[in-house]
Amino acid sequence: MASILRVNTLTDASSNNSTPMATVNQGTAKAWVQGDTGANVEDSFNVGSSTDVGTGDYSYTMSSNMGNNDYSQQVSCNGGELCAVKNVTLVVNQFKLITYTRASSFTAADQRHYVVILGDSA
């Protein structure tokens, strides 16, 4: 049988440092992915599917939607290469990125990549 622990505030053993549960909930990543040089997911949270759209072009669908399209998307690539958010208009169930290589005038290239999504979940 599952249990539920209901609290308003978390505090340390000496009751000197406390954090409201709303802060804990809002301060956690709502989705993240580690992708290889294709759209193969090596590890993830709240990612239901991935698509290799083209060279350096990736799209991921979230298992659970965001509450709105005002979330933050952080991207990074392995080895100092470049990553960028692909879409300007974010949608509640998907995030996209594009990766580049510095070696050939910043053209799209398949790169190992990492994405973290922060914001309000639905």
Side-chain angles (χ1 to χ4, degrees):
M1 179 186 305
S3 298
I4 297 174
L5 177 63
R6 295 176 192 252
V7 298
N8 293 324
T9 304
L10 293 177
T11 187
D12 65 12
S14 64
S15 296
N16 290 326
N17 301 297
S18 62
T19 303
M21 287 305 300
T23 301
V24 174
N25 182 48
Q26 292 304 315
T28 58
K30 302 309 185 285
W32 59 266
V33 67
Q34 175 181 326
D36 68 4
T37 56
N40 298 314
V41 174
E42 294 183 331
D43 205 358
S44 69
F45 171 71
N46 193 25
V47 172
S49 65
S50 61
T51 303
D52 188 348
V53 180
T55 302
D57 193 350
Y58 310 99
S59 177
Y60 294 94
T61 302
M62 291 181 261
S63 301
S64 297
N65 290 354
M66 298 299 290
N68 55 51
N69 64 349
D70 296 330
Y71 59 87
S72 175
Q73 177 177 329
Q74 290 79 42
V75 298
S76 64
C77 282
N78 203 35
E81 296 296 346
L82 302 175
C83 293
V85 174
K86 180 181 177 189
N87 53 324
V88 176
T89 304
L90 299 175
V91 295
V92 297
N93 67 336
Q94 189 177 62
F95 55 94
K96 300 175 183 181
L97 72 145
I98 191 159
T99 60
Y100 302 91
T101 180
R102 295 178 199 221
S104 58
S105 303
F106 303 108
T107 56
D110 291 332
Q111 300 290 338
R112 180 175 301 280
H113 53 277
Y114 313 89
V115 183
V116 176
I117 304 296
L118 299 169
D120 296 330
S121 52

